[in-house]
Amino acid sequence: MKPLLLLLALLSCTAAVAAGEPINLDIGTPPVVVVKHSLAQRSSRLVRFYDAGIIGLGYDGMVKMRDDSRLSLPQRQIAEKLIDNENPDRNSLIYALAEAHGGKAYEPAARAAQVRRWKEQFHSGWWIEDAQGKWSLKP
């Protein structure tokens, strides 16, 4: 009986994902709140690198080094450390959103929705990478 119930539960989750059930990016589960807080704490330090065109938003929603040629070694190390802390938190947010919606099966939908939101929230004049790896300024 239990294996049958487990199979039915799995199929219903898969059906909901396949049906394109919307992902609530504003869900307030504790893991989501903690990761969003961590991202918010770091955002003001990233802004100066976005403004200068040093870093940008990668096609996959991750922060990437775009042009570090104008940075001194200490500045480059700061930028790299920020990126090294930012991207795992971005992935953690996606995983937390997927878990809040029912588990790993929701990860692709959560990732697509969150990357779309990051792109929408990205400021005009900051650099965004397209699917071919080319950088352009967001209008």
Side-chain angles (χ1 to χ4, degrees):
M1 182 71 169
K2 284 186 180 182
L4 179 59
L5 291 175
L6 183 60
L7 179 60
L8 287 174
L10 180 61
L11 289 174
S12 68
C13 284
T14 306
V17 173
E21 184 177 297
I23 298 293
N24 178 3
L25 298 176
D26 298 315
I27 198 162
T29 64
V32 170
V33 171
V34 168
V35 177
K36 282 185 175 184
H37 178 73
S38 179
L39 289 165
Q41 294 289 88
R42 192 177 308 107
S43 67
S44 64
R45 290 177 286 165
L46 289 167
V47 167
R48 68 183 181 139
F49 292 106
Y50 287 132
D51 287 343
I54 305 297
I55 63 175
L57 184 67
Y59 181 73
D60 59 357
M62 299 295 115
V63 176
K64 294 185 177 180
M65 187 73 74
R66 196 192 70 78
D67 177 15
D68 63 358
S69 63
R70 297 172 288 152
L71 296 177
S72 66
L73 180 59
Q75 291 171 323
R76 185 176 310 128
Q77 290 171 330
I78 291 168
E80 288 171 351
K81 178 136 177 118
L82 287 169
I83 292 168
D84 289 347
N85 290 323
E86 180 75 3
N87 289 335
D89 277 356
R90 285 177 174 240
N91 280 321
S92 292
L93 176 60
I94 291 163
Y95 301 143
L97 288 167
E99 283 300 315
H101 285 85
K104 190 168 177 67
Y106 285 84
E107 189 180 323
R111 183 172 299 279
Q114 186 60 57
V115 169
R116 196 169 33 257
R117 176 176 276 184
W118 282 325
K119 288 179 180 179
E120 290 167 1
Q121 292 175 338
F122 216 60
H123 292 196
S124 177
W126 288 358
W127 291 88
I128 294 183
E129 183 184 44
D130 67 16
Q132 290 74 40
K134 295 179 185 155
W135 291 96
S136 61
L137 289 172
K138 182 175 179 185

